[in-house]
PDB file of all heavy atoms in Angstrom:
ATOM      1  N   VAL J  23      13.401 -21.063  -2.938  1.00 97.00           N
ATOM      2  CA  VAL J  23      13.100 -19.635  -2.992  1.00 97.00           C
ATOM      3  C   VAL J  23      12.926 -19.225  -4.453  1.00 97.00           C
ATOM      4  O   VAL J  23      13.378 -19.918  -5.365  1.00 97.00           O
ATOM      5  CB  VAL J  23      14.218 -18.778  -2.354  1.00 97.00           C
ATOM      6  CG1 VAL J  23      14.316 -19.053  -0.866  1.00 97.00           C
ATOM      7  CG2 VAL J  23      15.558 -19.007  -3.049  1.00 97.00           C
ATOM      8  N   ILE J  24      12.243 -18.103  -4.636  1.00 96.00           N
ATOM      9  CA  ILE J  24      12.124 -17.494  -5.949  1.00 96.00           C
ATOM     10  C   ILE J  24      13.105 -16.327  -6.000  1.00 96.00           C
ATOM     11  O   ILE J  24      13.100 -15.466  -5.119  1.00 96.00           O
ATOM     12  CB  ILE J  24      10.695 -16.969  -6.203  1.00 96.00           C
ATOM     13  CG1 ILE J  24       9.674 -18.085  -6.004  1.00 96.00           C
ATOM     14  CG2 ILE J  24      10.587 -16.359  -7.600  1.00 96.00           C
ATOM     15  CD1 ILE J  24       9.856 -19.259  -6.931  1.00 96.00           C
ATOM     16  N   ARG J  25      13.969 -16.316  -7.009  1.00 96.00           N
ATOM     17  CA  ARG J  25      14.880 -15.202  -7.207  1.00 96.00           C
ATOM     18  C   ARG J  25      14.431 -14.414  -8.429  1.00 96.00           C
ATOM     19  O   ARG J  25      14.330 -14.953  -9.531  1.00 96.00           O
ATOM     20  CB  ARG J  25      16.315 -15.681  -7.421  1.00 96.00           C
ATOM     21  CG  ARG J  25      17.021 -16.081  -6.139  1.00 96.00           C
ATOM     22  CD  ARG J  25      18.549 -16.032  -6.309  1.00 96.00           C
ATOM     23  NE  ARG J  25      19.193 -16.656  -5.159  1.00 96.00           N
ATOM     24  CZ  ARG J  25      19.574 -17.919  -5.102  1.00 96.00           C
ATOM     25  NH1 ARG J  25      19.373 -18.698  -6.137  1.00 96.00           N
ATOM     26  NH2 ARG J  25      20.150 -18.414  -4.032  1.00 96.00           N
ATOM     27  N   LEU J  26      14.158 -13.145  -8.218  1.00 95.00           N
ATOM     28  CA  LEU J  26      13.742 -12.248  -9.293  1.00 95.00           C
ATOM     29  C   LEU J  26      14.844 -11.220  -9.514  1.00 95.00           C
ATOM     30  O   LEU J  26      15.170 -10.463  -8.604  1.00 95.00           O
ATOM     31  CB  LEU J  26      12.455 -11.516  -8.915  1.00 95.00           C
ATOM     32  CG  LEU J  26      11.158 -12.308  -8.884  1.00 95.00           C
ATOM     33  CD1 LEU J  26      10.069 -11.478  -8.237  1.00 95.00           C
ATOM     34  CD2 LEU J  26      10.753 -12.679 -10.287  1.00 95.00           C
ATOM     35  N   ALA J  27      15.407 -11.181 -10.693  1.00 97.00           N
ATOM     36  CA  ALA J  27      16.431 -10.180 -11.022  1.00 97.00           C
ATOM     37  C   ALA J  27      15.978  -9.458 -12.281  1.00 97.00           C
ATOM     38  O   ALA J  27      15.665 -10.100 -13.288  1.00 97.00           O
ATOM     39  CB  ALA J  27      17.784 -10.847 -11.235  1.00 97.00           C
ATOM     40  N   ARG J  28      15.894  -8.129 -12.223  1.00 96.00           N
ATOM     41  CA  ARG J  28      15.435  -7.385 -13.392  1.00 96.00           C
ATOM     42  C   ARG J  28      16.071  -6.012 -13.446  1.00 96.00           C
ATOM     43  O   ARG J  28      16.505  -5.469 -12.429  1.00 96.00           O
ATOM     44  CB  ARG J  28      13.910  -7.253 -13.439  1.00 96.00           C
ATOM     45  CG  ARG J  28      13.284  -6.425 -12.337  1.00 96.00           C
ATOM     46  CD  ARG J  28      13.033  -7.247 -11.119  1.00 96.00           C
ATOM     47  NE  ARG J  28      12.265  -6.539 -10.099  1.00 96.00           N
ATOM     48  CZ  ARG J  28      12.361  -6.836  -8.800  1.00 96.00           C
ATOM     49  NH1 ARG J  28      13.187  -7.759  -8.370  1.00 96.00           N
ATOM     50  NH2 ARG J  28      11.605  -6.195  -7.934  1.00 96.00           N
ATOM     51  N   VAL J  29      16.089  -5.485 -14.658  1.00 97.00           N
ATOM     52  CA  VAL J  29      16.592  -4.144 -14.924  1.00 97.00           C
ATOM     53  C   VAL J  29      15.401  -3.224 -15.109  1.00 97.00           C
ATOM     54  O   VAL J  29      14.447  -3.565 -15.814  1.00 97.00           O
ATOM     55  CB  VAL J  29      17.476  -4.126 -16.189  1.00 97.00           C
ATOM     56  CG1 VAL J  29      17.914  -2.709 -16.526  1.00 97.00           C
ATOM     57  CG2 VAL J  29      18.688  -5.034 -16.016  1.00 97.00           C
ATOM     58  N   MET J  30      15.440  -2.051 -14.474  1.00 96.00           N
ATOM     59  CA  MET J  30      14.392  -1.058 -14.656  1.00 96.00           C
ATOM     60  C   MET J  30      14.927   0.063 -15.544  1.00 96.00           C
ATOM     61  O   MET J  30      16.065   0.510 -15.384  1.00 96.00           O
ATOM     62  CB  MET J  30      13.927  -0.500 -13.312  1.00 96.00           C
ATOM     63  CG  MET J  30      13.336  -1.550 -12.376  1.00 96.00           C
ATOM     64  SD  MET J  30      11.923  -2.456 -13.074  1.00 96.00           S
ATOM     65  CE  MET J  30      10.713  -1.124 -13.228  1.00 96.00           C
ATOM     66  N   LEU J  31      14.081   0.498 -16.481  1.00 94.00           N
ATOM     67  CA  LEU J  31      14.472   1.490 -17.468  1.00 94.00           C
ATOM     68  C   LEU J  31      13.703   2.790 -17.270  1.00 94.00           C
ATOM     69  O   LEU J  31      12.522   2.774 -16.921  1.00 94.00           O
ATOM     70  CB  LEU J  31      14.187   0.975 -18.885  1.00 94.00           C
ATOM     71  CG  LEU J  31      14.712  -0.413 -19.260  1.00 94.00           C
ATOM     72  CD1 LEU J  31      14.176  -0.829 -20.617  1.00 94.00           C
ATOM     73  CD2 LEU J  31      16.239  -0.418 -19.282  1.00 94.00           C
ATOM     74  N   ALA J  32      14.371   3.900 -17.508  1.00 89.00           N
ATOM     75  CA  ALA J  32      13.730   5.215 -17.568  1.00 89.00           C
ATOM     76  C   ALA J  32      14.340   5.939 -18.758  1.00 89.00           C
ATOM     77  O   ALA J  32      15.566   5.957 -18.914  1.00 89.00           O
ATOM     78  CB  ALA J  32      13.958   6.013 -16.284  1.00 89.00           C
ATOM     79  N   GLU J  33      13.472   6.502 -19.601  1.00 79.00           N
ATOM     80  CA  GLU J  33      13.943   7.185 -20.809  1.00 79.00           C
ATOM     81  C   GLU J  33      14.836   6.261 -21.638  1.00 79.00           C
ATOM     82  O   GLU J  33      15.870   6.663 -22.163  1.00 79.00           O
ATOM     83  CB  GLU J  33      14.675   8.481 -20.436  1.00 79.00           C
ATOM     84  CG  GLU J  33      13.798   9.454 -19.661  1.00 79.00           C
ATOM     85  CD  GLU J  33      14.533  10.699 -19.193  1.00 79.00           C
ATOM     86  OE1 GLU J  33      15.755  10.629 -18.957  1.00 79.00           O
ATOM     87  OE2 GLU J  33      13.887  11.750 -19.081  1.00 79.00           O
ATOM     88  N   ASP J  34      14.420   4.985 -21.715  1.00 81.00           N
ATOM     89  CA  ASP J  34      15.126   3.958 -22.500  1.00 81.00           C
ATOM     90  C   ASP J  34      16.549   3.710 -22.026  1.00 81.00           C
ATOM     91  O   ASP J  34      17.395   3.254 -22.803  1.00 81.00           O
ATOM     92  CB  ASP J  34      15.155   4.339 -23.991  1.00 81.00           C
ATOM     93  CG  ASP J  34      13.766   4.409 -24.590  1.00 81.00           C
ATOM     94  OD1 ASP J  34      12.935   3.550 -24.239  1.00 81.00           O
ATOM     95  OD2 ASP J  34      13.503   5.320 -25.392  1.00 81.00           O
ATOM     96  N   ARG J  35      16.813   3.968 -20.755  1.00 83.00           N
ATOM     97  CA  ARG J  35      18.144   3.761 -20.223  1.00 83.00           C
ATOM     98  C   ARG J  35      18.061   2.992 -18.911  1.00 83.00           C
ATOM     99  O   ARG J  35      17.196   3.280 -18.080  1.00 83.00           O
ATOM    100  CB  ARG J  35      18.786   5.143 -19.982  1.00 83.00           C
ATOM    101  CG  ARG J  35      20.271   5.065 -19.686  1.00 83.00           C
ATOM    102  CD  ARG J  35      20.624   5.677 -18.378  1.00 83.00           C
ATOM    103  NE  ARG J  35      22.056   5.910 -18.255  1.00 83.00           N
ATOM    104  CZ  ARG J  35      22.953   4.967 -17.958  1.00 83.00           C
ATOM    105  NH1 ARG J  35      22.565   3.732 -17.763  1.00 83.00           N
ATOM    106  NH2 ARG J  35      24.229   5.268 -17.849  1.00 83.00           N
ATOM    107  N   PRO J  36      18.906   1.954 -18.696  1.00 89.00           N
ATOM    108  CA  PRO J  36      18.883   1.242 -17.410  1.00 89.00           C
ATOM    109  C   PRO J  36      19.242   2.184 -16.263  1.00 89.00           C
ATOM    110  O   PRO J  36      20.258   2.873 -16.315  1.00 89.00           O
ATOM    111  CB  PRO J  36      19.973   0.169 -17.589  1.00 89.00           C
ATOM    112  CG  PRO J  36      20.172   0.035 -19.058  1.00 89.00           C
ATOM    113  CD  PRO J  36      19.899   1.386 -19.632  1.00 89.00           C
ATOM    114  N   VAL J  37      18.380   2.231 -15.246  1.00 90.00           N
ATOM    115  CA  VAL J  37      18.636   3.125 -14.110  1.00 90.00           C
ATOM    116  C   VAL J  37      18.678   2.382 -12.780  1.00 90.00           C
ATOM    117  O   VAL J  37      19.130   2.935 -11.771  1.00 90.00           O
ATOM    118  CB  VAL J  37      17.591   4.259 -14.030  1.00 90.00           C
ATOM    119  CG1 VAL J  37      17.669   5.138 -15.259  1.00 90.00           C
ATOM    120  CG2 VAL J  37      16.179   3.708 -13.846  1.00 90.00           C
ATOM    121  N   ALA J  38      18.199   1.140 -12.757  1.00 95.00           N
ATOM    122  CA  ALA J  38      18.215   0.370 -11.509  1.00 95.00           C
ATOM    123  C   ALA J  38      18.265  -1.113 -11.836  1.00 95.00           C
ATOM    124  O   ALA J  38      17.718  -1.561 -12.856  1.00 95.00           O
ATOM    125  CB  ALA J  38      16.985   0.678 -10.653  1.00 95.00           C
ATOM    126  N   TYR J  39      18.930  -1.864 -10.959  1.00 97.00           N
ATOM    127  CA  TYR J  39      18.985  -3.324 -11.066  1.00 97.00           C
ATOM    128  C   TYR J  39      18.508  -3.871  -9.738  1.00 97.00           C
ATOM    129  O   TYR J  39      19.078  -3.566  -8.686  1.00 97.00           O
ATOM    130  CB  TYR J  39      20.416  -3.779 -11.369  1.00 97.00           C
ATOM    131  CG  TYR J  39      20.569  -5.280 -11.519  1.00 97.00           C
ATOM    132  CD1 TYR J  39      19.724  -6.011 -12.334  1.00 97.00           C
ATOM    133  CD2 TYR J  39      21.587  -5.957 -10.840  1.00 97.00           C
ATOM    134  CE1 TYR J  39      19.868  -7.383 -12.485  1.00 97.00           C
ATOM    135  CE2 TYR J  39      21.749  -7.320 -10.986  1.00 97.00           C
ATOM    136  CZ  TYR J  39      20.882  -8.032 -11.812  1.00 97.00           C
ATOM    137  OH  TYR J  39      21.035  -9.394 -11.943  1.00 97.00           O
ATOM    138  N   LEU J  40      17.426  -4.657  -9.775  1.00 98.00           N
ATOM    139  CA  LEU J  40      16.755  -5.112  -8.562  1.00 98.00           C
ATOM    140  C   LEU J  40      16.791  -6.637  -8.463  1.00 98.00           C
ATOM    141  O   LEU J  40      16.537  -7.336  -9.439  1.00 98.00           O
ATOM    142  CB  LEU J  40      15.293  -4.652  -8.562  1.00 98.00           C
ATOM    143  CG  LEU J  40      15.030  -3.178  -8.902  1.00 98.00           C
ATOM    144  CD1 LEU J  40      13.531  -2.907  -8.932  1.00 98.00           C
ATOM    145  CD2 LEU J  40      15.735  -2.258  -7.931  1.00 98.00           C
ATOM    146  N   ILE J  41      17.092  -7.128  -7.269  1.00 98.00           N
ATOM    147  CA  ILE J  41      17.110  -8.575  -7.006  1.00 98.00           C
ATOM    148  C   ILE J  41      16.293  -8.841  -5.746  1.00 98.00           C
ATOM    149  O   ILE J  41      16.543  -8.231  -4.703  1.00 98.00           O
ATOM    150  CB  ILE J  41      18.547  -9.098  -6.796  1.00 98.00           C
ATOM    151  CG1 ILE J  41      19.438  -8.742  -7.995  1.00 98.00           C
ATOM    152  CG2 ILE J  41      18.543 -10.602  -6.541  1.00 98.00           C
ATOM    153  CD1 ILE J  41      20.917  -8.967  -7.737  1.00 98.00           C
ATOM    154  N   ASP J  42      15.294  -9.713  -5.851  1.00 98.00           N
ATOM    155  CA  ASP J  42      14.477 -10.099  -4.697  1.00 98.00           C
ATOM    156  C   ASP J  42      14.569 -11.599  -4.491  1.00 98.00           C
ATOM    157  O   ASP J  42      14.506 -12.371  -5.460  1.00 98.00           O
ATOM    158  CB  ASP J  42      13.013  -9.717  -4.902  1.00 98.00           C
ATOM    159  CG  ASP J  42      12.789  -8.211  -4.840  1.00 98.00           C
ATOM    160  OD1 ASP J  42      13.231  -7.508  -5.757  1.00 98.00           O
ATOM    161  OD2 ASP J  42      12.168  -7.758  -3.870  1.00 98.00           O
ATOM    162  N   ILE J  43      14.705 -12.020  -3.222  1.00 98.00           N
ATOM    163  CA  ILE J  43      14.691 -13.434  -2.859  1.00 98.00           C
ATOM    164  C   ILE J  43      13.492 -13.646  -1.940  1.00 98.00           C
ATOM    165  O   ILE J  43      13.396 -13.020  -0.880  1.00 98.00           O
ATOM    166  CB  ILE J  43      16.002 -13.860  -2.158  1.00 98.00           C
ATOM    167  CG1 ILE J  43      17.201 -13.598  -3.087  1.00 98.00           C
ATOM    168  CG2 ILE J  43      15.951 -15.331  -1.798  1.00 98.00           C
ATOM    169  CD1 ILE J  43      17.952 -12.335  -2.786  1.00 98.00           C
ATOM    170  N   ILE J  44      12.571 -14.530  -2.364  1.00 97.00           N
ATOM    171  CA  ILE J  44      11.287 -14.692  -1.693  1.00 97.00           C
ATOM    172  C   ILE J  44      11.013 -16.173  -1.464  1.00 97.00           C
ATOM    173  O   ILE J  44      11.206 -16.989  -2.383  1.00 97.00           O
ATOM    174  CB  ILE J  44      10.160 -14.093  -2.564  1.00 97.00           C
ATOM    175  CG1 ILE J  44      10.484 -12.650  -2.938  1.00 97.00           C
ATOM    176  CG2 ILE J  44       8.811 -14.172  -1.864  1.00 97.00           C
ATOM    177  CD1 ILE J  44       9.739 -12.149  -4.137  1.00 97.00           C
ATOM    178  N   PRO J  45      10.559 -16.587  -0.271  1.00 97.00           N
ATOM    179  CA  PRO J  45      10.193 -17.992  -0.061  1.00 97.00           C
ATOM    180  C   PRO J  45       9.118 -18.410  -1.061  1.00 97.00           C
ATOM    181  O   PRO J  45       8.208 -17.628  -1.373  1.00 97.00           O
ATOM    182  CB  PRO J  45       9.631 -18.004   1.373  1.00 97.00           C
ATOM    183  CG  PRO J  45      10.240 -16.798   2.029  1.00 97.00           C
ATOM    184  CD  PRO J  45      10.359 -15.771   0.945  1.00 97.00           C
ATOM    185  N   ASP J  46       9.208 -19.637  -1.580  1.00 93.00           N
ATOM    186  CA  ASP J  46       8.274 -20.023  -2.638  1.00 93.00           C
ATOM    187  C   ASP J  46       6.857 -20.281  -2.136  1.00 93.00           C
ATOM    188  O   ASP J  46       5.937 -20.438  -2.940  1.00 93.00           O
ATOM    189  CB  ASP J  46       8.804 -21.226  -3.425  1.00 93.00           C
ATOM    190  CG  ASP J  46       8.774 -22.524  -2.640  1.00 93.00           C
ATOM    191  OD1 ASP J  46       8.605 -22.479  -1.397  1.00 93.00           O
ATOM    192  OD2 ASP J  46       8.934 -23.588  -3.259  1.00 93.00           O
ATOM    193  N   ASP J  47       6.653 -20.313  -0.796  1.00 94.00           N
ATOM    194  CA  ASP J  47       5.281 -20.409  -0.301  1.00 94.00           C
ATOM    195  C   ASP J  47       4.627 -19.026  -0.230  1.00 94.00           C
ATOM    196  O   ASP J  47       3.417 -18.909  -0.001  1.00 94.00           O
ATOM    197  CB  ASP J  47       5.235 -21.079   1.074  1.00 94.00           C
ATOM    198  CG  ASP J  47       5.907 -20.236   2.163  1.00 94.00           C
ATOM    199  OD1 ASP J  47       6.960 -19.639   1.872  1.00 94.00           O
ATOM    200  OD2 ASP J  47       5.380 -20.177   3.285  1.00 94.00           O
ATOM    201  N   VAL J  48       5.417 -17.975  -0.452  1.00 95.00           N
ATOM    202  CA  VAL J  48       4.898 -16.605  -0.452  1.00 95.00           C
ATOM    203  C   VAL J  48       4.580 -16.163  -1.879  1.00 95.00           C
ATOM    204  O   VAL J  48       3.578 -15.491  -2.132  1.00 95.00           O
ATOM    205  CB  VAL J  48       5.916 -15.636   0.185  1.00 95.00           C
ATOM    206  CG1 VAL J  48       5.456 -14.186   0.043  1.00 95.00           C
ATOM    207  CG2 VAL J  48       6.124 -15.985   1.650  1.00 95.00           C
ATOM    208  N   LEU J  49       5.450 -16.543  -2.814  1.00 90.00           N
ATOM    209  CA  LEU J  49       5.271 -16.143  -4.207  1.00 90.00           C
ATOM    210  C   LEU J  49       5.789 -17.261  -5.100  1.00 90.00           C
ATOM    211  O   LEU J  49       6.863 -17.794  -4.866  1.00 90.00           O
ATOM    212  CB  LEU J  49       6.051 -14.848  -4.482  1.00 90.00           C
ATOM    213  CG  LEU J  49       5.840 -14.182  -5.832  1.00 90.00           C
ATOM    214  CD1 LEU J  49       4.434 -13.574  -5.912  1.00 90.00           C
ATOM    215  CD2 LEU J  49       6.878 -13.076  -6.049  1.00 90.00           C
ATOM    216  N   SER J  50       5.019 -17.607  -6.112  1.00 84.00           N
ATOM    217  CA  SER J  50       5.445 -18.647  -7.046  1.00 84.00           C
ATOM    218  C   SER J  50       5.575 -18.051  -8.438  1.00 84.00           C
ATOM    219  O   SER J  50       4.966 -17.012  -8.741  1.00 84.00           O
ATOM    220  CB  SER J  50       4.432 -19.793  -7.066  1.00 84.00           C
ATOM    221  OG  SER J  50       3.209 -19.363  -7.629  1.00 84.00           O
ATOM    222  N   PRO J  51       6.349 -18.682  -9.326  1.00 81.00           N
ATOM    223  CA  PRO J  51       6.531 -18.138 -10.679  1.00 81.00           C
ATOM    224  C   PRO J  51       5.221 -17.919 -11.425  1.00 81.00           C
ATOM    225  O   PRO J  51       5.108 -16.982 -12.215  1.00 81.00           O
ATOM    226  CB  PRO J  51       7.393 -19.209 -11.360  1.00 81.00           C
ATOM    227  CG  PRO J  51       8.164 -19.841 -10.244  1.00 81.00           C
ATOM    228  CD  PRO J  51       7.204 -19.854  -9.080  1.00 81.00           C
ATOM    229  N   ARG J  52       4.219 -18.758 -11.184  1.00 78.00           N
ATOM    230  CA  ARG J  52       2.961 -18.590 -11.912  1.00 78.00           C
ATOM    231  C   ARG J  52       2.231 -17.301 -11.518  1.00 78.00           C
ATOM    232  O   ARG J  52       1.416 -16.789 -12.285  1.00 78.00           O
ATOM    233  CB  ARG J  52       2.040 -19.797 -11.702  1.00 78.00           C
ATOM    234  CG  ARG J  52       1.573 -20.001 -10.282  1.00 78.00           C
ATOM    235  CD  ARG J  52       0.596 -21.173 -10.196  1.00 78.00           C
ATOM    236  NE  ARG J  52       0.231 -21.467  -8.827  1.00 78.00           N
ATOM    237  CZ  ARG J  52       0.897 -22.273  -8.029  1.00 78.00           C
ATOM    238  NH1 ARG J  52       1.980 -22.884  -8.489  1.00 78.00           N
ATOM    239  NH2 ARG J  52       0.493 -22.496  -6.793  1.00 78.00           N
ATOM    240  N   ASN J  53       2.538 -16.778 -10.312  1.00 72.00           N
ATOM    241  CA  ASN J  53       1.939 -15.503  -9.903  1.00 72.00           C
ATOM    242  C   ASN J  53       2.482 -14.334 -10.723  1.00 72.00           C
ATOM    243  O   ASN J  53       1.909 -13.238 -10.693  1.00 72.00           O
ATOM    244  CB  ASN J  53       2.218 -15.209  -8.424  1.00 72.00           C
ATOM    245  CG  ASN J  53       1.619 -16.244  -7.490  1.00 72.00           C
ATOM    246  OD1 ASN J  53       2.249 -16.641  -6.531  1.00 72.00           O
ATOM    247  ND2 ASN J  53       0.392 -16.672  -7.767  1.00 72.00           N
ATOM    248  N   LEU J  54       3.570 -14.549 -11.440  1.00 79.00           N
ATOM    249  CA  LEU J  54       4.281 -13.449 -12.090  1.00 79.00           C
ATOM    250  C   LEU J  54       4.021 -13.363 -13.589  1.00 79.00           C
ATOM    251  O   LEU J  54       4.487 -12.432 -14.233  1.00 79.00           O
ATOM    252  CB  LEU J  54       5.783 -13.602 -11.848  1.00 79.00           C
ATOM    253  CG  LEU J  54       6.211 -13.661 -10.379  1.00 79.00           C
ATOM    254  CD1 LEU J  54       7.667 -14.076 -10.278  1.00 79.00           C
ATOM    255  CD2 LEU J  54       5.997 -12.319  -9.704  1.00 79.00           C
ATOM    256  N   LYS J  55       3.280 -14.293 -14.139  1.00 70.00           N
ATOM    257  CA  LYS J  55       3.145 -14.370 -15.595  1.00 70.00           C
ATOM    258  C   LYS J  55       2.472 -13.143 -16.194  1.00 70.00           C
ATOM    259  O   LYS J  55       2.907 -12.610 -17.205  1.00 70.00           O
ATOM    260  CB  LYS J  55       2.378 -15.633 -15.987  1.00 70.00           C
ATOM    261  CG  LYS J  55       3.190 -16.913 -15.799  1.00 70.00           C
ATOM    262  CD  LYS J  55       2.438 -18.126 -16.301  1.00 70.00           C
ATOM    263  CE  LYS J  55       3.286 -19.391 -16.151  1.00 70.00           C
ATOM    264  NZ  LYS J  55       2.558 -20.598 -16.598  1.00 70.00           N
ATOM    265  N   ASP J  56       1.405 -12.686 -15.565  1.00 68.00           N
ATOM    266  CA  ASP J  56       0.622 -11.617 -16.175  1.00 68.00           C
ATOM    267  C   ASP J  56       0.741 -10.279 -15.455  1.00 68.00           C
ATOM    268  O   ASP J  56       0.663  -9.233 -16.085  1.00 68.00           O
ATOM    269  CB  ASP J  56      -0.864 -12.014 -16.228  1.00 68.00           C
ATOM    270  CG  ASP J  56      -1.085 -13.289 -17.027  1.00 68.00           C
ATOM    271  OD1 ASP J  56      -0.445 -13.415 -18.085  1.00 68.00           O
ATOM    272  OD2 ASP J  56      -1.877 -14.142 -16.588  1.00 68.00           O
ATOM    273  N   GLU J  57       0.925 -10.312 -14.130  1.00 72.00           N
ATOM    274  CA  GLU J  57       0.799  -9.079 -13.368  1.00 72.00           C
ATOM    275  C   GLU J  57       2.120  -8.417 -13.002  1.00 72.00           C
ATOM    276  O   GLU J  57       2.115  -7.314 -12.464  1.00 72.00           O
ATOM    277  CB  GLU J  57       0.009  -9.347 -12.078  1.00 72.00           C
ATOM    278  CG  GLU J  57       0.632 -10.428 -11.207  1.00 72.00           C
ATOM    279  CD  GLU J  57      -0.180 -10.703  -9.946  1.00 72.00           C
ATOM    280  OE1 GLU J  57      -0.852  -9.768  -9.472  1.00 72.00           O
ATOM    281  OE2 GLU J  57      -0.142 -11.845  -9.453  1.00 72.00           O
ATOM    282  N   PHE J  58       3.241  -9.022 -13.313  1.00 86.00           N
ATOM    283  CA  PHE J  58       4.509  -8.474 -12.843  1.00 86.00           C
ATOM    284  C   PHE J  58       5.064  -7.448 -13.812  1.00 86.00           C
ATOM    285  O   PHE J  58       5.312  -7.736 -14.976  1.00 86.00           O
ATOM    286  CB  PHE J  58       5.519  -9.595 -12.633  1.00 86.00           C
ATOM    287  CG  PHE J  58       6.786  -9.138 -11.957  1.00 86.00           C
ATOM    288  CD1 PHE J  58       6.743  -8.568 -10.695  1.00 86.00           C
ATOM    289  CD2 PHE J  58       8.010  -9.265 -12.586  1.00 86.00           C
ATOM    290  CE1 PHE J  58       7.905  -8.145 -10.063  1.00 86.00           C
ATOM    291  CE2 PHE J  58       9.172  -8.849 -11.967  1.00 86.00           C
ATOM    292  CZ  PHE J  58       9.106  -8.291 -10.695  1.00 86.00           C
ATOM    293  N   THR J  59       5.253  -6.221 -13.334  1.00 88.00           N
ATOM    294  CA  THR J  59       5.834  -5.152 -14.158  1.00 88.00           C
ATOM    295  C   THR J  59       7.155  -4.661 -13.589  1.00 88.00           C
ATOM    296  O   THR J  59       7.742  -3.714 -14.107  1.00 88.00           O
ATOM    297  CB  THR J  59       4.868  -3.962 -14.270  1.00 88.00           C
ATOM    298  OG1 THR J  59       4.580  -3.465 -12.957  1.00 88.00           O
ATOM    299  CG2 THR J  59       3.578  -4.376 -14.956  1.00 88.00           C
ATOM    300  N   GLY J  60       7.623  -5.297 -12.493  1.00 91.00           N
ATOM    301  CA  GLY J  60       8.914  -4.925 -11.930  1.00 91.00           C
ATOM    302  C   GLY J  60       8.930  -4.773 -10.432  1.00 91.00           C
ATOM    303  O   GLY J  60       9.990  -4.806  -9.822  1.00 91.00           O
ATOM    304  N   SER J  61       7.754  -4.616  -9.797  1.00 93.00           N
ATOM    305  CA  SER J  61       7.710  -4.369  -8.351  1.00 93.00           C
ATOM    306  C   SER J  61       7.064  -5.528  -7.600  1.00 93.00           C
ATOM    307  O   SER J  61       5.877  -5.810  -7.776  1.00 93.00           O
ATOM    308  CB  SER J  61       6.927  -3.079  -8.051  1.00 93.00           C
ATOM    309  OG  SER J  61       6.703  -2.956  -6.655  1.00 93.00           O
ATOM    310  N   VAL J  62       7.856  -6.177  -6.759  1.00 94.00           N
ATOM    311  CA  VAL J  62       7.316  -7.214  -5.882  1.00 94.00           C
ATOM    312  C   VAL J  62       6.380  -6.594  -4.848  1.00 94.00           C
ATOM    313  O   VAL J  62       5.320  -7.136  -4.534  1.00 94.00           O
ATOM    314  CB  VAL J  62       8.468  -7.974  -5.180  1.00 94.00           C
ATOM    315  CG1 VAL J  62       7.929  -8.895  -4.091  1.00 94.00           C
ATOM    316  CG2 VAL J  62       9.284  -8.768  -6.191  1.00 94.00           C
ATOM    317  N   LEU J  63       6.759  -5.434  -4.338  1.00 94.00           N
ATOM    318  CA  LEU J  63       5.931  -4.751  -3.343  1.00 94.00           C
ATOM    319  C   LEU J  63       4.526  -4.493  -3.877  1.00 94.00           C
ATOM    320  O   LEU J  63       3.532  -4.727  -3.187  1.00 94.00           O
ATOM    321  CB  LEU J  63       6.583  -3.429  -2.933  1.00 94.00           C
ATOM    322  CG  LEU J  63       5.777  -2.546  -1.974  1.00 94.00           C
ATOM    323  CD1 LEU J  63       5.593  -3.232  -0.626  1.00 94.00           C
ATOM    324  CD2 LEU J  63       6.442  -1.179  -1.806  1.00 94.00           C
ATOM    325  N   ASP J  64       4.426  -4.006  -5.113  1.00 93.00           N
ATOM    326  CA  ASP J  64       3.114  -3.712  -5.688  1.00 93.00           C
ATOM    327  C   ASP J  64       2.274  -4.975  -5.831  1.00 93.00           C
ATOM    328  O   ASP J  64       1.046  -4.941  -5.652  1.00 93.00           O
ATOM    329  CB  ASP J  64       3.273  -3.021  -7.044  1.00 93.00           C
ATOM    330  CG  ASP J  64       3.719  -1.570  -6.900  1.00 93.00           C
ATOM    331  OD1 ASP J  64       3.691  -1.053  -5.764  1.00 93.00           O
ATOM    332  OD2 ASP J  64       4.095  -0.961  -7.917  1.00 93.00           O
TER     333      ASP J  64
END
């Protein structure tokens, strides 16, 4: 699986901590290099 853990900031302050667990046939690390800004859904 791919585990994504990240902190989201608003007004330079941490406001959310998000963790996603995704099967690696659905999403791979190389899919995240350029287009990932914090939302798996997007």
Side-chain angles (χ1 to χ4, degrees):
V23 295
I24 305 299
R25 282 202 191 94
L26 288 169
R28 66 274 188 207
V29 176
M30 299 303 295
L31 309 172
E33 301 176 331
D34 297 321
R35 191 238 195 281
V37 297
Y39 181 49
L40 312 177
I41 305 168
D42 289 70
I43 301 100
I44 306 159
D46 71 346
D47 66 320
V48 173
L49 188 70
S50 67
R52 64 177 175 272
N53 298 139
L54 303 169
K55 288 185 178 178
D56 301 318
E57 57 181 331
F58 188 60
T59 59
S61 171
V62 170
L63 175 64
D64 286 349

